[in-house]
Amino acid sequence: MLFFLSAMEDSPRIQMEKASKILRRSIYTFLQNYQYLTATAALLAFPYSASVLLSQVFVPFSPLLPTIHNRFRILFQAAGFPPSSEFFTVLSFKISQTISSSIFALPFTLSFLLIAKSSIIQLLNQHKPNLPPSFSSVISLYKPLLTTHICNFLVLLSANATAFSLLFFAFNFLEGFGFSSPNWLLFMSAAGAVLYSIILANALIICNLALVSSGMERSSGYLAILKASVMIRGRTSTALTLAVPVSLVLAAIEALFHYRVVRAYHTGDITSFPMALEGILIAYLYSIFVVLDTVVSCMFFKSCETSSLIDQEGRYSYRIEIAEEDGNAYVKLKNIEELP
């Protein structure tokens, strides 16, 4: 695979224009294949969506959440993080909540979600995109997606470990020089939150793009992650701009489910049948946006694959070639000629 990349990123205005163009193309593709995506793909993703939303009901009362939270609290105390910092208190609880919800939804993630993504990728990658893909072609993509998903888990684990290591060195370094006042603690907590968000956001973008790459090009595992890491170079702002709207909508749907279903379930305000029906509709809406998020990722992958980013100031272009030989992946970086 060949990529032509610039040495620098485009301006924010150009990145925003590219993101809006990809988003419009994604919505157009979604509406063009509306029947298949809302009937087949969304229904395949429905069990995963229901498990994610129902985790709000069962995880808070599960013994797994306080166990994981206590482990993180002990770990942060052993690492020397200030116990008075609200940042680490909230961070440990949110990570514990995310891990517990992920474990609850793991069987549906490894089955229904990956099959739904396989069907969407196969639909958008075939020569006749208006025709629904066959069942055998969808299942053939499941194995590379599963392998890449497992590797993505290791990447996210490494990203969190890297972020915690940087925070550990930063806090202990400043504490060694006597910067332990409440104002410095507040400043470092804010800087740590920004640093952690940047590292995690980039890791999630690479993992999401690697999952699409494994379906589009039938590559899997570390090779798909390597290709995604190269493809995202110079397009991080575009990827973040595309990821934020769908993530906000999914978070809003989770909040709606919590307000309309979980809250009513605990207070007993409504009967079980209307509550279950409303929960099913909200879960289906969540599935629709999971499908739309996959469509956006596929359009972004195609944009990365076909576009050529050239630095206008230096006017240099680089060719990056990723290949696999004898089970080993290697990268070649070649400087093409200076443009006139």
Side-chain angles (χ1 to χ4, degrees), residues 81 87 91 95 152-170 190-208 225 229 232 236 240:
F81 293 139
F87 167 67
L91 180 63
I95 293 178
N152 285 345
F153 168 75
L154 299 177
V155 170
L156 293 176
L157 189 64
S158 302
N160 279 276
T162 301
F164 291 149
S165 299
L166 293 175
L167 292 175
F168 168 77
F169 285 117
V194 173
L195 176 66
Y196 180 79
S197 300
I198 292 174
I199 294 176
L200 190 61
N202 281 272
L204 287 172
I205 290 172
I206 292 174
C207 291
N208 197 19
I225 296 174
S229 302
I232 204 68
T236 307
L240 287 173

Side-chain angles (χ1 to χ4, degrees), residues 6-153:
S6 63
M8 300 175 62
E9 286 196 3
D10 289 333
S11 64
R13 183 180 61 85
I14 297 177
Q15 292 283 357
M16 187 66 68
E17 290 176 356
K18 291 181 179 179
S20 61
K21 186 182 297 184
I22 294 172
L23 193 59
R24 288 197 304 268
R25 191 184 307 125
S26 302
I27 296 175
Y28 173 77
T29 304
F30 178 82
L31 295 176
Q32 194 176 24
N33 302 277
Y34 180 80
Q35 185 175 0
Y36 178 83
L37 293 176
T38 56
T40 303
L43 289 178
L44 286 172
F46 180 81
Y48 163 77
S49 303
S51 66
V52 171
L53 296 176
L54 287 174
S55 65
Q56 301 182 33
V57 180
F58 298 106
V59 166
F61 302 99
S62 171
L64 186 64
L65 178 60
T67 301
I68 297 176
H69 185 216
N70 289 332
R71 294 291 183 180
F72 273 105
R73 184 174 53 81
I74 295 173
L75 178 63
F76 286 171
Q77 288 179 355
F81 293 139
S84 59
S85 175
E86 281 293 323
F87 167 67
F88 289 105
T89 303
V90 174
L91 180 63
S92 62
F93 179 75
K94 288 299 181 182
I95 293 178
S96 304
Q97 206 172 34
T98 302
I99 293 175
S100 302
S101 300
S102 300
I103 293 175
F104 180 83
L106 183 61
F108 304 96
T109 303
L110 298 180
S111 55
F112 290 99
L113 177 63
L114 292 183
I115 294 176
K117 286 182 176 291
S118 300
S119 65
I120 300 168
I121 293 172
Q122 183 63 30
L123 173 70
L124 302 179
N125 195 35
Q126 61 187 0
H127 297 294
K128 296 180 180 180
N130 293 328
L131 296 177
S134 62
F135 179 75
S136 59
S137 64
V138 172
I139 295 300
S140 65
L141 294 182
Y142 177 75
K143 185 177 179 180
L145 261 67
L146 177 62
T147 305
T148 306
H149 187 80
I150 295 174
C151 293
N152 285 345
F153 168 75

Side-chain angles (χ1 to χ4, degrees), residues 146-299:
L146 177 62
T147 305
T148 306
H149 187 80
I150 295 174
C151 293
N152 285 345
F153 168 75
L154 299 177
V155 170
L156 293 176
L157 189 64
S158 302
N160 279 276
T162 301
F164 291 149
S165 299
L166 293 175
L167 292 175
F168 168 77
F169 285 117
F171 273 90
N172 284 274
F173 178 79
L174 291 176
E175 186 178 357
F177 282 92
F179 296 100
S180 57
S181 64
N183 291 332
W184 275 105
L185 182 61
L186 179 62
F187 171 76
M188 286 302 299
S189 298
V194 173
L195 176 66
Y196 180 79
S197 300
I198 292 174
I199 294 176
L200 190 61
N202 281 272
L204 287 172
I205 290 172
I206 292 174
C207 291
N208 197 19
L209 194 62
L211 205 62
V212 176
S213 174
S214 63
M216 289 284 190
E217 300 185 347
R218 303 299 178 97
S219 60
S220 61
Y222 70 94
L223 184 58
I225 296 174
L226 178 61
K227 290 180 180 179
S229 302
V230 174
M231 294 178 72
I232 204 68
R233 182 181 176 185
R235 303 189 61 113
T236 307
S237 301
T238 304
L240 287 173
T241 306
L242 292 172
V244 166
V246 180
S247 299
L248 290 177
V249 172
L250 292 177
I253 295 175
E254 292 180 9
L256 176 64
F257 183 84
H258 186 274
Y259 177 76
R260 295 295 301 171
V261 178
V262 177
R263 183 165 161 262
Y265 174 78
H266 291 310
T267 58
D269 291 340
I270 55 177
T271 57
S272 58
F273 179 74
M275 181 179 62
L277 183 61
E278 189 171 359
I280 291 173
L281 293 177
I282 295 175
Y284 179 74
L285 181 63
Y286 193 93
S287 302
I288 293 293
F289 280 94
V290 169
V291 171
L292 182 59
D293 179 56
T294 308
V295 174
V296 172
S297 299
C298 291
M299 294 297 106

